[in-house]
Amino acid sequence: DGGKPNPAAPAPSADKGAGEGSAGGGKPPAAPTIQVFDVDVQKVVASTPLIQAFDKPLPSAQKIQATVEVQQAKMSEGKMESLGVEIVAVKADGDVLVGSPKPVAEAPAKKEEAKAEAPSKKEDVVAKKEDAGGAKPEPKGDAKMAGGPAPDNLDISTAAGPGAGAPPAPSGTSIAAAIPPPPPAAPSVPPPPVNIGQIVNQRPQELAPIVLTVRANDAFRAFGSENPDFGFSVTAGGLLPGHSIVADLLTPADKRSGVDGNPYTISFGSLRIVNRSGEDVTRQYNLTKVSGLLNLSKAEQVLDFKLPSNLTFGADTNLRANKQGGEVSFEVVSGPARIDANGKLVATSGTGTVVVKAVTPGDANYLGAEARQTIT
């Protein structure tokens, strides 16, 4: 079943010598059961230099994170079991320690029965070691297990033992006889420590944050108008599947702000990243926020003035205009009239229609404008 020990496979014992099993042409002992586990992607990625040792994140970082989310969801739903191990070293004569999440394939009661029927895998491996080379020396230095022995729920099995990649031992030969002991070390050099594997870095680590840069979009409006709805764009990196950005954008400019204050900043009042359930996942990102710019333009203005319907020869009338910005000047475009030194329209000679024009060049916030009226 991919994770259950083989109760029929007898465990090698350190008390059995090489001569045992040679009488009567007995069957060779069965090879230890191989167990296969899924890899804990989140923990492996967090401590693997092939992924973490680059200046920039891998192009496949989003796909890796998606795999992590699927696997973590299965673990939270009880569909996978975490063995609590991050990295497992492979050493010695082909023995492998495998530790990672594995599918939950059997009920706890069945697991207890399997443990009662079959000897511990850790005892199997140690017994094989003692058969091969005698007593197990004390590991030293880096060969020692970091943080102590392997957890009780860590399954240990042989992935390249005497039955893998080599012909089975001849009949009547024990495992210890089939695997020759390592050559003895020189008298002046102590024998190397025997260590079938070491567990390192048992403290949990999170996946390295994903680099993400979000910039407020530039915007434009005319003087005196309301601010538009501001937007933003992702300019570097990318969101993981199912994630979205929720942000508020602010600017100091209002309707009374002048064009001469350009440009005004558009900054993030708040920004967070949420998943499909609305949960805040901003911590998964190395986030950079960049402000945008708001530029104001001059507004158009309406210039208006009124004249009486007619004017008698020799009489005059005042000229006034309603404006929004800039000084106003008047001129006679055509007809028998003129503008005197006091700025009044005077009928000069004859009769007919007079066309008068008002002009303003505008100011810092308004564009220039003109208007025309006629009088008889």
Side-chain angles (χ1 to χ4, degrees), residues 207-224:
L207 191 66
I210 298 172
V211 174
L212 185 70
T213 301
V214 182
R215 188 186 190 281
N217 298 335
D218 293 339
F220 303 86
R221 69 168 175 84
F223 169 78

Side-chain angles (χ1 to χ4, degrees), residues 305 307 319 329-340 344-348 353-359 372-373 375:
F305 71 100
L307 291 175
L319 296 173
S329 60
F330 296 90
E331 63 177 283
V332 175
V333 178
S334 62
R338 65 180 176 84
I339 298 174
D340 66 12
K344 294 183 177 183
L345 178 67
V346 180
T348 56
T353 301
V354 176
V355 178
V356 181
K357 179 174 71 173
V359 179
R372 297 189 180 206
Q373 295 287 344
I375 185 172

Side-chain angles (χ1 to χ4, degrees), residues 62-82:
Q62 294 187 27
K63 294 182 179 180
I64 296 174
Q65 182 61 27
T67 302
V68 169
E69 290 189 352
V70 171
Q71 192 178 70
Q72 293 297 313
K74 288 184 178 179
M75 292 170 63
S76 63
E77 294 170 3
K79 296 180 179 179
M80 300 188 81
E81 178 184 356
S82 174

Side-chain angles (χ1 to χ4, degrees), residues 97-177:
L97 272 74
V98 183
S100 55
K102 64 178 181 179
V104 178
E106 52 187 341
K110 293 184 179 180
K111 294 185 179 180
E112 294 299 328
E113 292 174 4
K115 291 182 180 178
E117 293 173 1
S120 167
K121 290 184 174 59
K122 290 188 282 187
E123 294 174 359
D124 290 348
V125 176
V126 173
K128 181 170 72 67
K129 280 296 177 182
E130 292 176 352
D131 287 344
K136 180 178 177 181
E138 175 68 16
K140 299 180 180 179
D142 294 338
K144 290 184 178 181
M145 287 191 178
D152 292 338
N153 63 343
L154 175 62
D155 288 326
I156 302 177
S157 186
T158 303
S171 176
T173 305
S174 67
I175 294 179

Side-chain angles (χ1 to χ4, degrees), residues 214-219 227-233 245-253 263-272 288-295:
V214 182
R215 188 186 190 281
N217 298 335
D218 293 339
N227 287 326
D229 292 332
F230 300 129
F232 55 85
S233 304
I245 298 174
V246 179
D248 292 324
L249 295 164
L250 306 174
T251 182
Y264 295 90
T265 58
I266 304 173
S267 57
F268 289 92
S270 64
L271 190 156
R272 60 193 181 96
T288 300
K289 296 177 288 187
V290 181
S291 297
L293 299 175
L294 171 64
N295 282 277

